[in-house]
Amino acid sequence: MEEIIPHPHLHALASTTLAIVAVMVMVLPSTTAGGRLCRESCGDIPVRYPLGIDDGCGSPYYRNMLTCADNATLRLRTPSGTYPVGGADYSDPHLVVTDPSMWTCARPFTSVHAAPFSLDTSTRFSLSPRNEYLFFDCDEARVIVAPRPASCDRYPGRCDSACDSAGYLCRNLPGCALEEGSNQSCCAYRPRAAESLRAMLRHCGAYTSVYWRAAGDRSFPPYDQVPAYGVRVDFEVPVTTRCLQCQDKRRGDGGTCGFDPATRDFVCICGDGRNSTTDCADGHSSGHHGSAGIVAASAVASVSAAIGIWGLVWYIRKIKPSKVVTCGVQSNENRFF
């Protein structure tokens, strides 16, 4: 019986083929990574449309502006720094941001010289008009510290440069109050731009921000408001027909509105990892992410088959010239035993 001895070059070809296939598997997209769902919270703070902490989630207007450290601490990126977010409200869209350099009752009264909180005006975030800024120990040679005249309510443009020493919050600080006869001075200021805040801080010992927080039943405004420390940052919610269709639970299970990181085009992210251009009902898949595994498997199979066929042809051509054609006649030249 004729014994087939593997050609030494065939081992090298097989090794090369396996190496190429392994590299392709690593290079082609991963289904798990590409089809992951959007995280809906960071710590105990909900993260919903239009915000997102994973690239491709939420609205592209807020891309890369929020981070989630260790899945526990939500932070907002701004030109003046990265700040922890203490709360989020989507019915009255806003975030509450904490500036660690701000003075509060819980911290001893010490001067903190730091850049005040500011926002990029080109984004869909904006400082809420419910914020009030309090400055302490200002240099009265550089800053006009005086009670705010009643006429300022009617003509606010005439009082922009004054810091109100008779402000309600200076006399009713949340959680504490300046003692009578205290050497620390306090005045309230409502700047029109972040540059005004920076100028004030250059001539004052410390500052803090207090916003008016809605309390009690908010079903029927006007509702009660109480002061609290923090910076209220309002955000817009872009409402589109495609997003409403994506979220509609009557169209499949309801999806999450997102976007393609490469093109910024709208994408409906479904619960099974599929991406769609419309909704999560069957038959609308766009082929993003969810089909990555199929594409990868097909590509690997096709390349492997092509390499295998090429290797077989090469092997046959390699051994054919050395094989003796006997036409059934056995001689000492072609004997195998």
Side-chain angles (χ1 to χ4, degrees):
M1 179 177 180
E2 181 177 348
E3 179 183 0
I4 300 177
I5 302 176
H7 197 281
H9 291 286
L10 192 58
H11 288 291
L13 178 63
S15 300
T16 303
T17 302
L18 290 174
I20 293 174
V21 171
V23 169
M24 290 192 63
V25 170
M26 290 187 293
V27 171
L28 287 171
S30 168
T31 306
T32 303
R36 69 180 181 182
L37 302 179
C38 299
R39 285 176 287 178
E40 297 180 347
S41 65
C42 180
D44 58 353
I45 300 178
V47 179
R48 303 172 190 160
Y49 183 84
L51 307 180
I53 50 180
D54 299 303
D55 198 16
C57 299
S59 168
Y61 293 127
Y62 301 100
R63 184 180 188 181
N64 297 328
M65 299 198 69
L66 289 173
T67 64
C68 184
D70 301 324
N71 288 323
T73 305
L74 186 65
R75 293 181 176 273
L76 174 66
R77 291 172 172 162
T78 78
S80 57
T82 302
Y83 301 92
V85 177
D89 192 319
Y90 295 89
S91 58
D92 177 19
H94 71 272
L95 301 175
V96 176
V97 179
T98 302
D99 183 353
S101 68
M102 287 181 179
W103 175 89
T104 65
C105 289
R107 182 185 300 139
F109 200 110
T110 55
S111 296
V112 180
H113 292 283
F117 179 84
S118 64
L119 283 176
D120 184 353
T121 56
S122 65
T123 67
R124 300 298 177 98
F125 284 119
S126 62
L127 289 174
S128 172
R130 298 186 188 181
N131 294 320
E132 291 195 28
Y133 299 92
L134 305 180
F135 290 85
F136 304 95
D137 291 341
C138 296
D139 182 358
E140 296 191 20
R142 301 294 186 93
V143 178
I144 301 175
V145 180
R148 182 182 176 89
S151 60
C152 292
D153 293 333
R154 295 185 61 186
Y155 307 102
R158 299 179 182 179
C159 305
D160 282 348
S161 60
C163 193
D164 183 14
S165 59
Y168 171 83
L169 290 175
C170 280
R171 294 178 282 109
N172 298 274
L173 288 169
C176 63
L178 294 179
E179 297 179 1
E180 290 292 336
S182 172
N183 294 327
Q184 286 86 26
S185 64
C186 172
C187 61
Y189 184 64
R190 291 187 178 181
R192 289 188 174 183
E195 182 57 37
S196 300
L197 279 177
R198 286 190 285 269
M200 286 289 292
L201 200 55
R202 284 196 293 268
H203 305 302
C204 299
Y207 94 111
T208 192
S209 174
V210 176
Y211 73 101
W212 290 94
R213 177 173 57 85
D217 185 7
R218 297 189 299 171
S219 303
F220 303 98
Y223 34 74
D224 293 337
Q225 294 182 332
V226 295
Y229 291 108
V231 182
R232 173 173 163 143
V233 178
D234 295 339
F235 60 86
E236 301 175 17
V237 181
V239 179
T240 64
T241 302
R242 287 185 297 180
C243 185
L244 294 175
Q245 290 177 347
C246 172
Q247 295 172 331
D248 191 350
K249 293 187 179 299
R250 295 172 299 178
R251 300 170 179 263
D253 295 330
T256 301
C257 300
F259 61 94
D260 187 325
T263 63
R264 297 171 67 93
D265 292 337
F266 174 81
V267 168
C268 183
I269 303 170
C270 302
D272 56 2
R274 289 184 302 115
N275 284 356
S276 169
T277 55
T278 52
D279 52 52
C280 293
D282 294 337
H284 294 285
S285 176
S286 64
H288 293 168
H289 300 321
S291 61
I294 299 175
V295 174
S298 300
V300 170
S302 300
V303 173
S304 301
I307 294 177
I309 294 173
W310 175 82
L312 180 62
V313 173
W314 176 85
Y315 176 67
I316 293 174
R317 290 180 178 178
K318 184 73 176 177
I319 65 174
K320 185 174 182 180
S322 60
K323 185 175 181 66
V324 180
V325 180
T326 62
C327 297
V329 180
Q330 189 176 18
S331 66
N332 290 332
E333 285 79 11
N334 67 2
R335 190 182 298 277
F336 284 97
F337 55 88

